[in-house]
Amino acid sequence: MKVYVRASTQSDVDHLATNLRPEDTEEVLASHGNVKEALQQGLDESEECWTIIVKETGEIAGIYGVVGLDNLTGIPWLLTAPPITKVWLPFLRGSLKWVKETNKKYPILTNACDANYSVAINWLKFVGFTFIQRHETWGVGNKPFLEFVRIQDV
């Protein structure tokens, strides 16, 4: 199956608020406490926010973006829905390209993920992030999270 991305809309946020993968829901509840509010914050605060669509079915497979802290640092984020498994390989290729391009704009990309979310950890390694610190308590859920960073190649 093929994938395409388009600018995210409010209806994408509304849909995904109750349709994320269980692992993504668990991560957001631990970090932010409320899935809908976290998605809304991502849409509202991201310089760019994109929705991943399964081309053949029109299903929403995820949403991602980057929040700029300053001219050097961006906070990339990604939340996925079950249809992401239908387009995993094209998503991997496209996400690697997006991360590299975003890293040109923001020489430092950083965030944190649930320390137990192996799929997210493997994806972050694939797109070139390095894990720099384990936090035993993070976010409102006080769960273990891994801080990661990707510094632009010079």
Side-chain angles (χ1 to χ4, degrees):
M1 292 199 164
K2 296 182 181 177
V3 64
Y4 73 94
V5 298
R6 61 164 168 73
S8 298
T9 65
Q10 184 63 51
S11 64
D12 298 337
V13 167
D14 296 341
H15 172 77
L16 286 171
T18 57
N19 290 286
L20 291 179
R21 289 166 40 103
E23 301 91 335
D24 287 76
T25 298
E26 187 176 323
E27 181 179 62
V28 173
L29 290 175
S31 62
H32 291 77
N34 184 295
V35 174
K36 174 73 186 261
E37 288 176 10
L39 283 163
Q40 191 65 54
Q41 181 181 5
L43 179 67
D44 294 344
E45 296 182 12
S46 291
E47 177 180 321
E48 51 184 60
C49 189
W50 303 99
T51 298
I52 305 161
I53 306 291
V54 178
K55 189 171 186 174
E56 291 84 352
T57 63
E59 294 169 287
I60 296 175
I63 189 169
Y64 64 97
V66 62
V67 176
L69 287 183
D70 52 41
N71 290 335
L72 293 175
T73 309
I75 302 171
W77 60 274
L78 163 70
L79 294 169
T80 59
I84 195 71
T85 60
K86 296 178 181 180
V87 292
W88 192 245
L89 289 177
F91 163 74
L92 287 175
R93 288 190 291 271
S95 64
L96 180 58
K97 181 180 176 186
W98 180 81
V99 168
K100 287 180 177 180
E101 288 300 313
T102 303
N103 211 181
K104 289 177 185 175
K105 177 163 185 144
Y106 296 105
I108 301 167
L109 295 174
T110 186
N111 204 339
C113 74
D114 185 330
N116 297 313
Y117 193 177
S118 60
V119 172
I121 291 166
N122 290 334
W123 174 75
L124 288 162
K125 288 177 183 176
F126 174 78
V127 295
F129 285 94
T130 301
F131 294 92
I132 57 173
Q133 187 171 357
R134 180 183 173 95
H135 299 269
E136 291 304 324
T137 59
W138 183 276
V140 299
N142 291 317
K143 291 182 70 177
F145 269 63
L146 300 175
E147 188 176 359
F148 56 84
V149 66
R150 188 178 198 280
I151 299 174
Q152 180 184 12
D153 298 330
V154 289

